[in-house]
Every structure is written in structure tokens, then in C-alpha cells.
PDB file of all heavy atoms in Angstrom:
ATOM      1  N   LYS Q   1     -40.106-143.608 -69.751  1.00  0.00           N
ATOM      2  CA  LYS Q   1     -40.726-142.344 -69.394  1.00  0.00           C
ATOM      3  C   LYS Q   1     -40.756-142.226 -67.876  1.00  0.00           C
ATOM      4  O   LYS Q   1     -40.517-143.164 -67.120  1.00  0.00           O
ATOM      5  CB  LYS Q   1     -42.172-142.296 -69.936  1.00  0.00           C
ATOM      6  CG  LYS Q   1     -42.226-142.412 -71.456  1.00  0.00           C
ATOM      7  CD  LYS Q   1     -41.626-141.216 -72.101  1.00  0.00           C
ATOM      8  CE  LYS Q   1     -41.729-141.342 -73.618  1.00  0.00           C
ATOM      9  NZ  LYS Q   1     -41.102-140.316 -74.321  1.00  0.00           N
ATOM     10  N   PHE Q   2     -41.148-141.048 -67.417  1.00  0.00           N
ATOM     11  CA  PHE Q   2     -41.166-140.758 -65.966  1.00  0.00           C
ATOM     12  C   PHE Q   2     -42.177-141.560 -65.222  1.00  0.00           C
ATOM     13  O   PHE Q   2     -41.931-142.107 -64.176  1.00  0.00           O
ATOM     14  CB  PHE Q   2     -41.381-139.260 -65.760  1.00  0.00           C
ATOM     15  CG  PHE Q   2     -41.296-138.842 -64.316  1.00  0.00           C
ATOM     16  CD1 PHE Q   2     -40.107-138.873 -63.614  1.00  0.00           C
ATOM     17  CD2 PHE Q   2     -42.444-138.396 -63.658  1.00  0.00           C
ATOM     18  CE1 PHE Q   2     -40.031-138.492 -62.311  1.00  0.00           C
ATOM     19  CE2 PHE Q   2     -42.353-138.021 -62.320  1.00  0.00           C
ATOM     20  CZ  PHE Q   2     -41.141-138.065 -61.656  1.00  0.00           C
ATOM     21  N   THR Q   3     -43.396-141.679 -65.766  1.00  0.00           N
ATOM     22  CA  THR Q   3     -44.474-142.357 -65.032  1.00  0.00           C
ATOM     23  C   THR Q   3     -44.899-143.683 -65.623  1.00  0.00           C
ATOM     24  O   THR Q   3     -45.633-144.437 -65.011  1.00  0.00           O
ATOM     25  CB  THR Q   3     -45.727-141.472 -64.936  1.00  0.00           C
ATOM     26  OG1 THR Q   3     -46.157-141.133 -66.268  1.00  0.00           O
ATOM     27  CG2 THR Q   3     -45.411-140.236 -64.144  1.00  0.00           C
ATOM     28  N   ASN Q   4     -44.525-143.982 -66.873  1.00  0.00           N
ATOM     29  CA  ASN Q   4     -44.902-145.210 -67.477  1.00  0.00           C
ATOM     30  C   ASN Q   4     -43.883-145.561 -68.577  1.00  0.00           C
ATOM     31  O   ASN Q   4     -43.021-144.779 -68.875  1.00  0.00           O
ATOM     32  CB  ASN Q   4     -46.322-145.156 -68.078  1.00  0.00           C
ATOM     33  CG  ASN Q   4     -46.456-144.103 -69.154  1.00  0.00           C
ATOM     34  OD1 ASN Q   4     -45.459-143.607 -69.683  1.00  0.00           O
ATOM     35  ND2 ASN Q   4     -47.668-143.748 -69.477  1.00  0.00           N
ATOM     36  N   GLY Q   5     -44.041-146.748 -69.113  1.00  0.00           N
ATOM     37  CA  GLY Q   5     -43.120-147.123 -70.144  1.00  0.00           C
ATOM     38  C   GLY Q   5     -43.855-147.803 -71.298  1.00  0.00           C
ATOM     39  O   GLY Q   5     -43.984-148.989 -71.365  1.00  0.00           O
ATOM     40  N   PRO Q   6     -44.348-146.993 -72.257  1.00  0.00           N
ATOM     41  CA  PRO Q   6     -45.077-147.588 -73.360  1.00  0.00           C
ATOM     42  C   PRO Q   6     -44.196-148.412 -74.277  1.00  0.00           C
ATOM     43  O   PRO Q   6     -43.009-148.146 -74.417  1.00  0.00           O
ATOM     44  CB  PRO Q   6     -45.642-146.358 -74.076  1.00  0.00           C
ATOM     45  CG  PRO Q   6     -44.737-145.202 -73.722  1.00  0.00           C
ATOM     46  CD  PRO Q   6     -44.213-145.538 -72.341  1.00  0.00           C
ATOM     47  N   CYS Q   7     -44.817-149.367 -74.934  1.00  0.00           N
ATOM     48  CA  CYS Q   7     -44.121-150.183 -75.939  1.00  0.00           C
ATOM     49  C   CYS Q   7     -44.707-149.843 -77.300  1.00  0.00           C
ATOM     50  O   CYS Q   7     -45.909-149.709 -77.449  1.00  0.00           O
ATOM     51  CB  CYS Q   7     -44.309-151.659 -75.641  1.00  0.00           C
ATOM     52  SG  CYS Q   7     -43.274-152.287 -74.305  1.00  0.00           S
ATOM     53  N   LEU Q   8     -43.850-149.741 -78.296  1.00  0.00           N
ATOM     54  CA  LEU Q   8     -44.260-149.520 -79.637  1.00  0.00           C
ATOM     55  C   LEU Q   8     -44.010-150.783 -80.460  1.00  0.00           C
ATOM     56  O   LEU Q   8     -42.901-151.332 -80.403  1.00  0.00           O
ATOM     57  CB  LEU Q   8     -43.459-148.342 -80.266  1.00  0.00           C
ATOM     58  CG  LEU Q   8     -43.443-147.045 -79.495  1.00  0.00           C
ATOM     59  CD1 LEU Q   8     -42.518-146.032 -80.189  1.00  0.00           C
ATOM     60  CD2 LEU Q   8     -44.842-146.482 -79.354  1.00  0.00           C
ATOM     61  N   ALA Q   9     -45.027-151.227 -81.167  1.00  0.00           N
ATOM     62  CA  ALA Q   9     -44.879-152.440 -81.960  1.00  0.00           C
ATOM     63  C   ALA Q   9     -45.065-152.207 -83.449  1.00  0.00           C
ATOM     64  O   ALA Q   9     -44.802-153.114 -84.251  1.00  0.00           O
ATOM     65  CB  ALA Q   9     -45.869-153.502 -81.481  1.00  0.00           C
ATOM     66  N   LYS Q  10     -45.459-151.042 -83.828  1.00  0.00           N
ATOM     67  CA  LYS Q  10     -45.660-150.712 -85.226  1.00  0.00           C
ATOM     68  C   LYS Q  10     -44.315-150.823 -85.976  1.00  0.00           C
ATOM     69  O   LYS Q  10     -43.289-150.280 -85.512  1.00  0.00           O
ATOM     70  CB  LYS Q  10     -46.237-149.288 -85.352  1.00  0.00           C
ATOM     71  CG  LYS Q  10     -46.783-148.941 -86.712  1.00  0.00           C
ATOM     72  CD  LYS Q  10     -47.537-147.622 -86.604  1.00  0.00           C
ATOM     73  CE  LYS Q  10     -47.189-146.706 -87.735  1.00  0.00           C
ATOM     74  NZ  LYS Q  10     -47.856-145.433 -87.666  1.00  0.00           N
ATOM     75  N   THR Q  11     -44.289-151.475 -87.065  1.00  0.00           N
ATOM     76  CA  THR Q  11     -43.075-151.799 -87.822  1.00  0.00           C
ATOM     77  C   THR Q  11     -42.285-150.538 -88.128  1.00  0.00           C
ATOM     78  O   THR Q  11     -41.077-150.489 -87.977  1.00  0.00           O
ATOM     79  CB  THR Q  11     -43.380-152.571 -89.064  1.00  0.00           C
ATOM     80  OG1 THR Q  11     -44.056-153.775 -88.729  1.00  0.00           O
ATOM     81  CG2 THR Q  11     -42.126-152.924 -89.842  1.00  0.00           C
ATOM     82  N   SER Q  12     -42.979-149.475 -88.558  1.00  0.00           N
ATOM     83  CA  SER Q  12     -42.262-148.254 -88.913  1.00  0.00           C
ATOM     84  C   SER Q  12     -41.623-147.573 -87.698  1.00  0.00           C
ATOM     85  O   SER Q  12     -40.546-147.010 -87.814  1.00  0.00           O
ATOM     86  CB  SER Q  12     -43.193-147.261 -89.644  1.00  0.00           C
ATOM     87  OG  SER Q  12     -44.300-146.921 -88.813  1.00  0.00           O
ATOM     88  N   ASP Q  13     -42.280-147.670 -86.533  1.00  0.00           N
ATOM     89  CA  ASP Q  13     -41.693-147.106 -85.341  1.00  0.00           C
ATOM     90  C   ASP Q  13     -40.455-147.885 -84.918  1.00  0.00           C
ATOM     91  O   ASP Q  13     -39.411-147.308 -84.585  1.00  0.00           O
ATOM     92  CB  ASP Q  13     -42.705-147.148 -84.162  1.00  0.00           C
ATOM     93  CG  ASP Q  13     -43.857-146.191 -84.333  1.00  0.00           C
ATOM     94  OD1 ASP Q  13     -43.716-145.172 -85.069  1.00  0.00           O
ATOM     95  OD2 ASP Q  13     -44.934-146.432 -83.753  1.00  0.00           O
ATOM     96  N   VAL Q  14     -40.575-149.204 -84.908  1.00  0.00           N
ATOM     97  CA  VAL Q  14     -39.428-150.084 -84.549  1.00  0.00           C
ATOM     98  C   VAL Q  14     -38.267-149.795 -85.487  1.00  0.00           C
ATOM     99  O   VAL Q  14     -37.106-149.687 -85.084  1.00  0.00           O
ATOM    100  CB  VAL Q  14     -39.844-151.557 -84.557  1.00  0.00           C
ATOM    101  CG1 VAL Q  14     -38.579-152.458 -84.357  1.00  0.00           C
ATOM    102  CG2 VAL Q  14     -40.898-151.845 -83.501  1.00  0.00           C
ATOM    103  N   GLN Q  15     -38.534-149.657 -86.786  1.00  0.00           N
ATOM    104  CA  GLN Q  15     -37.502-149.374 -87.780  1.00  0.00           C
ATOM    105  C   GLN Q  15     -36.800-148.043 -87.505  1.00  0.00           C
ATOM    106  O   GLN Q  15     -35.581-147.967 -87.532  1.00  0.00           O
ATOM    107  CB  GLN Q  15     -38.083-149.371 -89.207  1.00  0.00           C
ATOM    108  CG  GLN Q  15     -37.039-149.126 -90.279  1.00  0.00           C
ATOM    109  CD  GLN Q  15     -36.005-150.217 -90.392  1.00  0.00           C
ATOM    110  OE1 GLN Q  15     -36.289-151.406 -90.118  1.00  0.00           O
ATOM    111  NE2 GLN Q  15     -34.780-149.845 -90.718  1.00  0.00           N
ATOM    112  N   GLN Q  16     -37.588-147.029 -87.149  1.00  0.00           N
ATOM    113  CA  GLN Q  16     -37.024-145.716 -86.883  1.00  0.00           C
ATOM    114  C   GLN Q  16     -36.105-145.783 -85.670  1.00  0.00           C
ATOM    115  O   GLN Q  16     -34.975-145.263 -85.671  1.00  0.00           O
ATOM    116  CB  GLN Q  16     -38.128-144.688 -86.664  1.00  0.00           C
ATOM    117  CG  GLN Q  16     -37.602-143.298 -86.442  1.00  0.00           C
ATOM    118  CD  GLN Q  16     -38.712-142.275 -86.289  1.00  0.00           C
ATOM    119  OE1 GLN Q  16     -39.868-142.608 -86.298  1.00  0.00           O
ATOM    120  NE2 GLN Q  16     -38.336-141.000 -86.174  1.00  0.00           N
ATOM    121  N   TYR Q  17     -36.528-146.443 -84.576  1.00  0.00           N
ATOM    122  CA  TYR Q  17     -35.693-146.551 -83.396  1.00  0.00           C
ATOM    123  C   TYR Q  17     -34.462-147.437 -83.673  1.00  0.00           C
ATOM    124  O   TYR Q  17     -33.416-147.178 -83.118  1.00  0.00           O
ATOM    125  CB  TYR Q  17     -36.523-147.064 -82.206  1.00  0.00           C
ATOM    126  CG  TYR Q  17     -37.307-145.969 -81.562  1.00  0.00           C
ATOM    127  CD1 TYR Q  17     -38.612-145.710 -81.919  1.00  0.00           C
ATOM    128  CD2 TYR Q  17     -36.719-145.148 -80.617  1.00  0.00           C
ATOM    129  CE1 TYR Q  17     -39.343-144.670 -81.329  1.00  0.00           C
ATOM    130  CE2 TYR Q  17     -37.412-144.085 -79.984  1.00  0.00           C
ATOM    131  CZ  TYR Q  17     -38.763-143.878 -80.369  1.00  0.00           C
ATOM    132  OH  TYR Q  17     -39.433-142.871 -79.773  1.00  0.00           O
ATOM    133  N   SER Q  18     -34.629-148.474 -84.458  1.00  0.00           N
ATOM    134  CA  SER Q  18     -33.485-149.324 -84.799  1.00  0.00           C
ATOM    135  C   SER Q  18     -32.415-148.532 -85.571  1.00  0.00           C
ATOM    136  O   SER Q  18     -31.222-148.674 -85.316  1.00  0.00           O
ATOM    137  CB  SER Q  18     -33.932-150.553 -85.615  1.00  0.00           C
ATOM    138  OG  SER Q  18     -34.738-151.399 -84.850  1.00  0.00           O
ATOM    139  N   GLU Q  19     -32.867-147.711 -86.501  1.00  0.00           N
ATOM    140  CA  GLU Q  19     -31.960-146.848 -87.236  1.00  0.00           C
ATOM    141  C   GLU Q  19     -31.297-145.809 -86.300  1.00  0.00           C
ATOM    142  O   GLU Q  19     -30.119-145.533 -86.484  1.00  0.00           O
ATOM    143  CB  GLU Q  19     -32.708-146.137 -88.369  1.00  0.00           C
ATOM    144  CG  GLU Q  19     -33.113-147.077 -89.473  1.00  0.00           C
ATOM    145  CD  GLU Q  19     -34.027-146.451 -90.495  1.00  0.00           C
ATOM    146  OE1 GLU Q  19     -34.286-145.240 -90.411  1.00  0.00           O
ATOM    147  OE2 GLU Q  19     -34.475-147.188 -91.428  1.00  0.00           O
ATOM    148  N   THR Q  20     -32.045-145.312 -85.347  1.00  0.00           N
ATOM    149  CA  THR Q  20     -31.469-144.376 -84.391  1.00  0.00           C
ATOM    150  C   THR Q  20     -30.422-145.021 -83.547  1.00  0.00           C
ATOM    151  O   THR Q  20     -29.316-144.500 -83.310  1.00  0.00           O
ATOM    152  CB  THR Q  20     -32.572-143.740 -83.475  1.00  0.00           C
ATOM    153  OG1 THR Q  20     -33.466-143.018 -84.328  1.00  0.00           O
ATOM    154  CG2 THR Q  20     -31.996-142.797 -82.458  1.00  0.00           C
ATOM    155  N   HIS Q  21     -30.685-146.266 -83.096  1.00  0.00           N
ATOM    156  CA  HIS Q  21     -29.691-147.020 -82.345  1.00  0.00           C
ATOM    157  C   HIS Q  21     -28.443-147.248 -83.131  1.00  0.00           C
ATOM    158  O   HIS Q  21     -27.321-147.146 -82.659  1.00  0.00           O
ATOM    159  CB  HIS Q  21     -30.290-148.364 -81.865  1.00  0.00           C
ATOM    160  CG  HIS Q  21     -29.402-149.102 -80.928  1.00  0.00           C
ATOM    161  ND1 HIS Q  21     -28.823-150.290 -81.271  1.00  0.00           N
ATOM    162  CD2 HIS Q  21     -28.979-148.821 -79.667  1.00  0.00           C
ATOM    163  CE1 HIS Q  21     -28.078-150.708 -80.267  1.00  0.00           C
ATOM    164  NE2 HIS Q  21     -28.156-149.853 -79.297  1.00  0.00           N
ATOM    165  N   ALA Q  22     -28.598-147.569 -84.423  1.00  0.00           N
ATOM    166  CA  ALA Q  22     -27.439-147.753 -85.303  1.00  0.00           C
ATOM    167  C   ALA Q  22     -26.648-146.454 -85.431  1.00  0.00           C
ATOM    168  O   ALA Q  22     -25.401-146.474 -85.405  1.00  0.00           O
ATOM    169  CB  ALA Q  22     -27.884-148.260 -86.684  1.00  0.00           C
ATOM    170  N   ARG Q  23     -27.294-145.301 -85.538  1.00  0.00           N
ATOM    171  CA  ARG Q  23     -26.597-144.028 -85.616  1.00  0.00           C
ATOM    172  C   ARG Q  23     -25.837-143.743 -84.309  1.00  0.00           C
ATOM    173  O   ARG Q  23     -24.714-143.253 -84.332  1.00  0.00           O
ATOM    174  CB  ARG Q  23     -27.540-142.875 -85.912  1.00  0.00           C
ATOM    175  CG  ARG Q  23     -28.034-142.886 -87.367  1.00  0.00           C
ATOM    176  CD  ARG Q  23     -28.666-141.586 -87.779  1.00  0.00           C
ATOM    177  NE  ARG Q  23     -29.774-141.113 -87.004  1.00  0.00           N
ATOM    178  CZ  ARG Q  23     -31.056-141.477 -87.154  1.00  0.00           C
ATOM    179  NH1 ARG Q  23     -31.401-142.303 -88.108  1.00  0.00           N
ATOM    180  NH2 ARG Q  23     -31.967-140.971 -86.383  1.00  0.00           N
ATOM    181  N   LEU Q  24     -26.461-144.111 -83.192  1.00  0.00           N
ATOM    182  CA  LEU Q  24     -25.776-143.844 -81.880  1.00  0.00           C
ATOM    183  C   LEU Q  24     -24.557-144.742 -81.757  1.00  0.00           C
ATOM    184  O   LEU Q  24     -23.496-144.339 -81.311  1.00  0.00           O
ATOM    185  CB  LEU Q  24     -26.752-144.121 -80.745  1.00  0.00           C
ATOM    186  CG  LEU Q  24     -27.911-143.115 -80.635  1.00  0.00           C
ATOM    187  CD1 LEU Q  24     -28.919-143.614 -79.563  1.00  0.00           C
ATOM    188  CD2 LEU Q  24     -27.392-141.758 -80.300  1.00  0.00           C
ATOM    189  N   ARG Q  25     -24.660-145.995 -82.206  1.00  0.00           N
ATOM    190  CA  ARG Q  25     -23.527-146.938 -82.176  1.00  0.00           C
ATOM    191  C   ARG Q  25     -22.426-146.383 -83.060  1.00  0.00           C
ATOM    192  O   ARG Q  25     -21.239-146.473 -82.706  1.00  0.00           O
ATOM    193  CB  ARG Q  25     -23.948-148.333 -82.622  1.00  0.00           C
ATOM    194  CG  ARG Q  25     -24.822-149.018 -81.629  1.00  0.00           C
ATOM    195  CD  ARG Q  25     -25.102-150.485 -81.995  1.00  0.00           C
ATOM    196  NE  ARG Q  25     -24.832-150.887 -83.335  1.00  0.00           N
ATOM    197  CZ  ARG Q  25     -25.811-151.370 -84.172  1.00  0.00           C
ATOM    198  NH1 ARG Q  25     -27.031-151.516 -83.765  1.00  0.00           N
ATOM    199  NH2 ARG Q  25     -25.469-151.733 -85.384  1.00  0.00           N
ATOM    200  N   ALA Q  26     -22.743-145.811 -84.166  1.00  0.00           N
ATOM    201  CA  ALA Q  26     -21.730-145.261 -85.094  1.00  0.00           C
ATOM    202  C   ALA Q  26     -20.991-144.057 -84.464  1.00  0.00           C
ATOM    203  O   ALA Q  26     -19.827-143.848 -84.733  1.00  0.00           O
ATOM    204  CB  ALA Q  26     -22.334-144.831 -86.423  1.00  0.00           C
ATOM    205  N   LEU Q  27     -21.695-143.293 -83.647  1.00  0.00           N
ATOM    206  CA  LEU Q  27     -21.104-142.134 -82.966  1.00  0.00           C
ATOM    207  C   LEU Q  27     -20.300-142.531 -81.697  1.00  0.00           C
ATOM    208  O   LEU Q  27     -19.438-141.795 -81.273  1.00  0.00           O
ATOM    209  CB  LEU Q  27     -22.180-141.144 -82.552  1.00  0.00           C
ATOM    210  CG  LEU Q  27     -22.868-140.391 -83.693  1.00  0.00           C
ATOM    211  CD1 LEU Q  27     -24.093-139.662 -83.174  1.00  0.00           C
ATOM    212  CD2 LEU Q  27     -21.920-139.453 -84.408  1.00  0.00           C
ATOM    213  N   ALA Q  28     -20.643-143.672 -81.135  1.00  0.00           N
ATOM    214  CA  ALA Q  28     -20.054-144.079 -79.892  1.00  0.00           C
ATOM    215  C   ALA Q  28     -18.606-144.617 -80.049  1.00  0.00           C
ATOM    216  O   ALA Q  28     -18.178-145.007 -81.159  1.00  0.00           O
ATOM    217  CB  ALA Q  28     -20.926-145.163 -79.245  1.00  0.00           C
ATOM    218  N   LEU Q  29     -17.890-144.631 -78.984  1.00  0.00           N
ATOM    219  CA  LEU Q  29     -16.536-145.218 -78.956  1.00  0.00           C
ATOM    220  C   LEU Q  29     -16.699-146.737 -79.116  1.00  0.00           C
ATOM    221  O   LEU Q  29     -17.690-147.330 -78.655  1.00  0.00           O
ATOM    222  CB  LEU Q  29     -15.843-144.884 -77.628  1.00  0.00           C
ATOM    223  CG  LEU Q  29     -15.612-143.439 -77.306  1.00  0.00           C
ATOM    224  CD1 LEU Q  29     -15.076-143.264 -75.930  1.00  0.00           C
ATOM    225  CD2 LEU Q  29     -14.674-142.794 -78.350  1.00  0.00           C
ATOM    226  N   ALA Q  30     -15.693-147.360 -79.650  1.00  0.00           N
ATOM    227  CA  ALA Q  30     -15.659-148.807 -79.765  1.00  0.00           C
ATOM    228  C   ALA Q  30     -15.644-149.396 -78.351  1.00  0.00           C
ATOM    229  O   ALA Q  30     -15.265-148.710 -77.355  1.00  0.00           O
ATOM    230  CB  ALA Q  30     -14.409-149.270 -80.507  1.00  0.00           C
ATOM    231  N   PRO Q  31     -16.049-150.671 -78.208  1.00  0.00           N
ATOM    232  CA  PRO Q  31     -16.076-151.280 -76.866  1.00  0.00           C
ATOM    233  C   PRO Q  31     -14.793-151.136 -76.033  1.00  0.00           C
ATOM    234  O   PRO Q  31     -14.796-150.813 -74.872  1.00  0.00           O
ATOM    235  CB  PRO Q  31     -16.416-152.730 -77.142  1.00  0.00           C
ATOM    236  CG  PRO Q  31     -17.243-152.705 -78.356  1.00  0.00           C
ATOM    237  CD  PRO Q  31     -16.596-151.615 -79.185  1.00  0.00           C
ATOM    238  N   ASN Q  32     -13.602-151.370 -76.689  1.00  0.00           N
ATOM    239  CA  ASN Q  32     -12.354-151.215 -75.919  1.00  0.00           C
ATOM    240  C   ASN Q  32     -12.096-149.770 -75.509  1.00  0.00           C
ATOM    241  O   ASN Q  32     -11.640-149.537 -74.367  1.00  0.00           O
ATOM    242  CB  ASN Q  32     -11.164-151.707 -76.795  1.00  0.00           C
ATOM    243  CG  ASN Q  32     -10.943-153.179 -76.695  1.00  0.00           C
ATOM    244  OD1 ASN Q  32     -11.492-153.840 -75.782  1.00  0.00           O
ATOM    245  ND2 ASN Q  32     -10.194-153.724 -77.603  1.00  0.00           N
ATOM    246  N   GLN Q  33     -12.356-148.849 -76.391  1.00  0.00           N
ATOM    247  CA  GLN Q  33     -12.219-147.424 -76.019  1.00  0.00           C
ATOM    248  C   GLN Q  33     -13.190-147.058 -74.917  1.00  0.00           C
ATOM    249  O   GLN Q  33     -12.870-146.265 -74.034  1.00  0.00           O
ATOM    250  CB  GLN Q  33     -12.454-146.533 -77.261  1.00  0.00           C
ATOM    251  CG  GLN Q  33     -11.374-146.674 -78.336  1.00  0.00           C
ATOM    252  CD  GLN Q  33     -11.817-145.961 -79.592  1.00  0.00           C
ATOM    253  OE1 GLN Q  33     -12.900-146.126 -80.081  1.00  0.00           O
ATOM    254  NE2 GLN Q  33     -10.931-145.087 -80.058  1.00  0.00           N
ATOM    255  N   SER Q  34     -14.412-147.584 -74.989  1.00  0.00           N
ATOM    256  CA  SER Q  34     -15.407-147.320 -73.951  1.00  0.00           C
ATOM    257  C   SER Q  34     -14.933-147.827 -72.639  1.00  0.00           C
ATOM    258  O   SER Q  34     -15.099-147.157 -71.606  1.00  0.00           O
ATOM    259  CB  SER Q  34     -16.762-147.937 -74.334  1.00  0.00           C
ATOM    260  OG  SER Q  34     -17.282-147.311 -75.512  1.00  0.00           O
ATOM    261  N   ARG Q  35     -14.352-149.031 -72.590  1.00  0.00           N
ATOM    262  CA  ARG Q  35     -13.825-149.575 -71.346  1.00  0.00           C
ATOM    263  C   ARG Q  35     -12.755-148.664 -70.766  1.00  0.00           C
ATOM    264  O   ARG Q  35     -12.663-148.469 -69.535  1.00  0.00           O
ATOM    265  CB  ARG Q  35     -13.340-151.013 -71.531  1.00  0.00           C
ATOM    266  CG  ARG Q  35     -14.384-152.072 -71.332  1.00  0.00           C
ATOM    267  CD  ARG Q  35     -13.780-153.471 -71.215  1.00  0.00           C
ATOM    268  NE  ARG Q  35     -13.296-153.948 -72.497  1.00  0.00           N
ATOM    269  CZ  ARG Q  35     -14.021-154.420 -73.474  1.00  0.00           C
ATOM    270  NH1 ARG Q  35     -15.307-154.505 -73.328  1.00  0.00           N
ATOM    271  NH2 ARG Q  35     -13.459-154.871 -74.554  1.00  0.00           N
ATOM    272  N   HIS Q  36     -11.896-148.144 -71.631  1.00  0.00           N
ATOM    273  CA  HIS Q  36     -10.859-147.237 -71.144  1.00  0.00           C
ATOM    274  C   HIS Q  36     -11.459-145.946 -70.551  1.00  0.00           C
ATOM    275  O   HIS Q  36     -11.018-145.485 -69.489  1.00  0.00           O
ATOM    276  CB  HIS Q  36      -9.911-146.812 -72.304  1.00  0.00           C
ATOM    277  CG  HIS Q  36      -8.990-147.909 -72.736  1.00  0.00           C
ATOM    278  ND1 HIS Q  36      -8.133-148.565 -71.882  1.00  0.00           N
ATOM    279  CD2 HIS Q  36      -8.844-148.495 -73.946  1.00  0.00           C
ATOM    280  CE1 HIS Q  36      -7.496-149.502 -72.553  1.00  0.00           C
ATOM    281  NE2 HIS Q  36      -7.905-149.490 -73.797  1.00  0.00           N
ATOM    282  N   LEU Q  37     -12.543-145.467 -71.143  1.00  0.00           N
ATOM    283  CA  LEU Q  37     -13.194-144.255 -70.622  1.00  0.00           C
ATOM    284  C   LEU Q  37     -13.854-144.605 -69.245  1.00  0.00           C
ATOM    285  O   LEU Q  37     -13.779-143.813 -68.311  1.00  0.00           O
ATOM    286  CB  LEU Q  37     -14.248-143.746 -71.589  1.00  0.00           C
ATOM    287  CG  LEU Q  37     -14.831-142.378 -71.307  1.00  0.00           C
ATOM    288  CD1 LEU Q  37     -13.744-141.288 -71.204  1.00  0.00           C
ATOM    289  CD2 LEU Q  37     -15.852-142.021 -72.342  1.00  0.00           C
ATOM    290  N   ILE Q  38     -14.442-145.781 -69.134  1.00  0.00           N
ATOM    291  CA  ILE Q  38     -15.023-146.239 -67.889  1.00  0.00           C
ATOM    292  C   ILE Q  38     -13.927-146.361 -66.832  1.00  0.00           C
ATOM    293  O   ILE Q  38     -14.124-145.935 -65.677  1.00  0.00           O
ATOM    294  CB  ILE Q  38     -15.801-147.552 -68.063  1.00  0.00           C
ATOM    295  CG1 ILE Q  38     -17.024-147.325 -68.992  1.00  0.00           C
ATOM    296  CG2 ILE Q  38     -16.241-148.109 -66.705  1.00  0.00           C
ATOM    297  CD1 ILE Q  38     -17.663-148.606 -69.473  1.00  0.00           C
ATOM    298  N   THR Q  39     -12.772-146.906 -67.189  1.00  0.00           N
ATOM    299  CA  THR Q  39     -11.630-147.030 -66.254  1.00  0.00           C
ATOM    300  C   THR Q  39     -11.227-145.643 -65.796  1.00  0.00           C
ATOM    301  O   THR Q  39     -10.925-145.442 -64.623  1.00  0.00           O
ATOM    302  CB  THR Q  39     -10.486-147.800 -66.932  1.00  0.00           C
ATOM    303  OG1 THR Q  39     -10.906-149.076 -67.300  1.00  0.00           O
ATOM    304  CG2 THR Q  39      -9.286-147.876 -66.033  1.00  0.00           C
ATOM    305  N   ASP Q  40     -11.124-144.682 -66.690  1.00  0.00           N
ATOM    306  CA  ASP Q  40     -10.727-143.308 -66.299  1.00  0.00           C
ATOM    307  C   ASP Q  40     -11.745-142.737 -65.294  1.00  0.00           C
ATOM    308  O   ASP Q  40     -11.354-142.089 -64.360  1.00  0.00           O
ATOM    309  CB  ASP Q  40     -10.640-142.415 -67.543  1.00  0.00           C
ATOM    310  CG  ASP Q  40      -9.453-142.709 -68.408  1.00  0.00           C
ATOM    311  OD1 ASP Q  40      -8.520-143.393 -67.917  1.00  0.00           O
ATOM    312  OD2 ASP Q  40      -9.440-142.250 -69.568  1.00  0.00           O
ATOM    313  N   ALA Q  41     -13.037-143.000 -65.555  1.00  0.00           N
ATOM    314  CA  ALA Q  41     -14.080-142.496 -64.619  1.00  0.00           C
ATOM    315  C   ALA Q  41     -13.905-143.169 -63.246  1.00  0.00           C
ATOM    316  O   ALA Q  41     -14.063-142.514 -62.220  1.00  0.00           O
ATOM    317  CB  ALA Q  41     -15.460-142.723 -65.204  1.00  0.00           C
ATOM    318  N   ILE Q  42     -13.598-144.456 -63.248  1.00  0.00           N
ATOM    319  CA  ILE Q  42     -13.407-145.192 -62.006  1.00  0.00           C
ATOM    320  C   ILE Q  42     -12.255-144.537 -61.211  1.00  0.00           C
ATOM    321  O   ILE Q  42     -12.367-144.323 -59.973  1.00  0.00           O
ATOM    322  CB  ILE Q  42     -13.116-146.667 -62.245  1.00  0.00           C
ATOM    323  CG1 ILE Q  42     -14.419-147.348 -62.761  1.00  0.00           C
ATOM    324  CG2 ILE Q  42     -12.616-147.355 -60.971  1.00  0.00           C
ATOM    325  CD1 ILE Q  42     -14.158-148.764 -63.296  1.00  0.00           C
ATOM    326  N   LYS Q  43     -11.179-144.201 -61.887  1.00  0.00           N
ATOM    327  CA  LYS Q  43      -9.996-143.572 -61.250  1.00  0.00           C
ATOM    328  C   LYS Q  43     -10.414-142.231 -60.611  1.00  0.00           C
ATOM    329  O   LYS Q  43     -10.006-141.922 -59.509  1.00  0.00           O
ATOM    330  CB  LYS Q  43      -8.866-143.347 -62.241  1.00  0.00           C
ATOM    331  CG  LYS Q  43      -8.222-144.597 -62.681  1.00  0.00           C
ATOM    332  CD  LYS Q  43      -7.193-144.338 -63.740  1.00  0.00           C
ATOM    333  CE  LYS Q  43      -6.623-145.625 -64.334  1.00  0.00           C
ATOM    334  NZ  LYS Q  43      -5.714-145.355 -65.479  1.00  0.00           N
TER     335      LYS Q  43
END
């Protein structure tokens, strides 16, 4: 957050964020493809 960084420890909250992270990983490029995109940005 902008002014602080709260931590959530409730199991249901952690589960929801873990599932969100998994969805983001599924949408993201694979590591090799990601490195290629980073290389293009460097160029």
C-alpha cells in the first residue's frame, strides 16, 4: 500500500491470494518467453 503494508494471516485470505497468484501465473508468459520480452525492452 501507499502508506503501510498490512499482512493477512487468515487462512481464507491467504488461500484467495494464492489462487489469484496461480491465475496470474497461468496468464503470464513462460519464463523463457518472459526473458525474451525483457531482452526486447532492454534493446
Side-chain angles (χ1 to χ4, degrees):
K1 301 292 181 185
F2 185 68
T3 59
N4 61 16
C7 284
L8 306 176
K10 192 169 135 182
T11 303
S12 60
D13 290 336
V14 172
Q15 181 64 33
Q16 183 176 4
Y17 279 93
S18 293
E19 289 171 4
T20 299
H21 186 248
R23 286 196 304 274
L24 293 172
R25 290 188 341 239
L27 292 169
L29 299 173
N32 275 346
Q33 294 171 307
S34 294
R35 270 193 291 281
H36 289 303
L37 192 58
I38 294 167
T39 299
D40 288 344
I42 291 168
K43 290 175 187 175

